[in-house]
Amino acid sequence: MGGTTYTWLLLWLVAPFSAPAFASAFVHPSPSSSLEGRPRRRQHIRRSLLVLPSDIVLAQRTKSTDQRCAYDDLTILLPAYNESDRITETLLAYSSYISTHHKEDVVGTSAHPDSLLSIDILVVDDGSTDDTAGAVRQYSEFNPILKTSIDCISLPHNEGKGGAIERGIEEIARRKQQSFGNDDKNQSISDDRTSLVLVADADGSGDLSCLGDMLHTLNNLLVNQQTQALRSNEALIVGNRGYDGAGIARIVLRWGFRTAVKIICGDLEISDTQCGMKLMTLDAANTLYRNLNLRRWSHDVEVLYRAKILGVPVAEVPVKWEDKDGSKLVTSAGGTIGASIRMLLEIMHMRMEYALGRWQVN
């Protein structure tokens, strides 16, 4: 590439505004590269999102809709690394909420009372050196009257939070395909009913009371696509933790990180990219988490950047959040700053790799 091209590429990486049309070719893969062979509906969705971003806001703010999507099942996916001391409390809180509010607060706010046939919990033990898997099995075995199924898979070595989520989604898709008698894990789940995945933190920081609103917003996004004759079964809802209860240091660092991400990646339609609470269709999960390049703490930004490239609709829902002691990311203020800097460097590297076409969505 010539000097002029490098100049435009550099401007694209540091400017929060849209680059010139010809420079965007470095960012959005052409149909002959990463989007080769994908349905053209994605291109139509991407154009509609770029031209009319208010569609997402409209879908998020809509209080009710006459159309309902049919949901088959929901799997709560908990990536866990050395969480033997905290995972039991999370399982107790989540399974109790599901048993108590399944009909009234969860299903009833989003669709027909029978729209969700089951809610399960899958823990992905990310190569823990403690007995995280044993704690999950013990809780499940000693609570036989639970209305939700609790299972755990263990990875042979630590892959990072993003890697653990990817493995968990692969396991959910494998089980779903087996139930349909289809072993092709790359094939879209095309049943009349939709499988959902809710990613949450193993320490239980996110309150499950937000699930009803997340389901409602997800339903609006899917119905909005159907209204536009876009037969997509992909959508993503991200929680927003806000700043209530957060200390000054956390508030400053969150604001700084969010601002830097917007400068590097442009508008991802989501302000709190690092929120651990994310609800999506299984089809969207398969697309966005497959073969992640960033597999640790900064993976969330790559997931949302992929959604932007592919035109997967996204929206944001407030969640009740309580930061828990024992964070695996940092143990001090200095550690928080250092971790944030490392994550930003990873995101800058990701942005360059996608811009040069060396990383692609496949």
Side-chain angles (χ1 to χ4, degrees):
M1 293 187 297
T4 302
T5 303
Y6 277 117
T7 301
W8 279 112
L9 182 57
L10 179 61
L11 289 174
W12 171 260
L13 289 171
V14 301
F17 306 103
S18 299
F22 67 86
S24 65
F26 294 104
V27 180
H28 299 293
S30 65
S32 61
S33 58
S34 65
L35 296 184
E36 183 176 4
R38 301 185 69 88
R40 291 189 62 82
R41 63 170 175 81
R42 294 190 183 281
Q43 300 176 25
H44 299 321
I45 296 173
R46 183 171 68 248
R47 283 197 294 269
S48 67
L49 287 176
L50 290 176
V51 176
L52 297 173
S54 59
D55 288 348
I56 295 180
V57 178
L58 179 61
Q60 181 178 356
R61 293 179 178 176
T62 301
K63 295 184 178 179
S64 63
T65 177
D66 294 332
Q67 294 178 270
R68 306 295 186 188
C69 294
Y71 303 129
D72 185 13
D73 53 71
L74 167 68
T75 301
I76 300 176
L77 178 58
L78 304 175
Y81 177 67
N82 290 345
E83 293 286 357
S84 60
D85 293 335
R86 303 192 294 180
I87 192 67
T88 299
E89 182 180 352
T90 301
L91 295 176
L92 175 61
Y94 282 10
S95 59
S96 298
Y97 184 88
I98 293 169
S99 299
T100 305
H101 301 85
H102 184 192
K103 293 297 182 183
E104 295 85 353
D105 294 346
V106 178
V107 179
T109 58
S110 67
H112 190 274
D114 294 326
S115 62
L116 272 175
L117 300 183
S118 66
I119 301 180
D120 302 325
I121 298 177
L122 175 64
V123 179
V124 181
D125 174 18
D126 188 20
S128 299
T129 57
D130 66 0
D131 196 23
T132 295
V136 175
R137 286 193 298 268
Q138 184 178 26
Y139 179 81
S140 181
E141 291 172 359
F142 283 88
N143 292 272
I145 62 173
L146 290 174
K147 295 183 180 180
T148 184
S149 170
I150 298 176
D151 199 3
C152 179
I153 62 173
S154 297
L155 305 183
H157 55 83
N158 181 260
E159 297 191 20
K161 186 178 181 181
I165 294 173
E166 180 182 340
R167 299 305 177 205
I169 290 170
E170 290 176 353
E171 178 65 16
I172 296 170
R174 183 189 67 81
R175 296 179 182 184
K176 189 71 174 177
Q177 295 291 359
Q178 282 186 343
S179 69
F180 288 145
N182 189 334
D183 294 330
D184 184 2
K185 68 178 182 180
N186 292 322
Q187 180 173 331
S188 172
I189 305 298
S190 57
D191 186 32
D192 290 338
R193 304 177 70 90
T194 300
S195 293
L196 305 178
V197 178
L198 174 69
V199 176
D201 287 350
D203 63 3
S205 296
D207 195 315
L208 208 57
S209 61
C210 67
L211 182 55
D213 289 339
M214 296 184 88
L215 284 165
H216 180 76
T217 306
L218 180 74
N219 182 80
N220 285 344
L221 288 186
L222 294 174
V223 168
N224 187 50
Q225 291 190 78
Q226 294 173 2
T227 302
Q228 299 181 39
L230 301 172
R231 305 303 298 179
S232 171
N233 201 31
E234 298 179 354
L236 170 65
I237 308 299
V238 181
N240 188 323
R241 295 167 292 180
Y243 296 109
D244 292 342
I248 297 298
R250 283 185 180 270
I251 291 176
V252 172
L253 285 171
R254 283 184 188 176
W255 177 85
F257 185 83
R258 296 175 186 182
T259 302
V261 167
K262 187 170 184 178
I263 291 174
I264 297 170
C265 298
D267 188 5
L268 299 179
E269 305 289 347
I270 299 297
S271 60
D272 190 3
T273 60
Q274 303 310 111
C275 180
M277 214 84 163
K278 293 180 173 64
L279 176 69
M280 66 205 82
T281 62
L282 183 53
D283 280 348
N286 274 322
T287 297
L288 300 177
Y289 282 86
R290 183 184 302 140
N291 298 327
L292 282 174
N293 299 288
L294 302 181
R295 304 180 67 79
R296 297 192 176 275
W297 296 106
S298 53
H299 77 276
D300 303 270
V301 177
E302 183 177 11
V303 168
L304 290 168
Y305 190 69
R306 286 179 165 191
K308 177 182 178 180
I309 292 175
L310 298 175
V312 175
V314 298
E316 203 163 22
V317 169
V319 299
K320 184 179 179 180
W321 193 268
E322 180 184 356
D323 290 313
K324 301 294 181 70
D325 294 331
S327 170
K328 298 297 185 299
L329 178 59
V330 294
T331 56
S332 65
T336 301
I337 296 174
S340 298
I341 293 175
R342 287 193 299 272
M343 290 167 64
L344 286 174
L345 290 175
E346 290 179 355
I347 293 168
M348 292 178 66
H349 175 67
M350 175 210 75
R351 185 68 171 76
M352 177 67 76
E353 293 297 327
Y354 275 109
L356 296 177
R358 291 197 288 253
W359 289 4
Q360 300 178 355
V361 186
N362 48 37

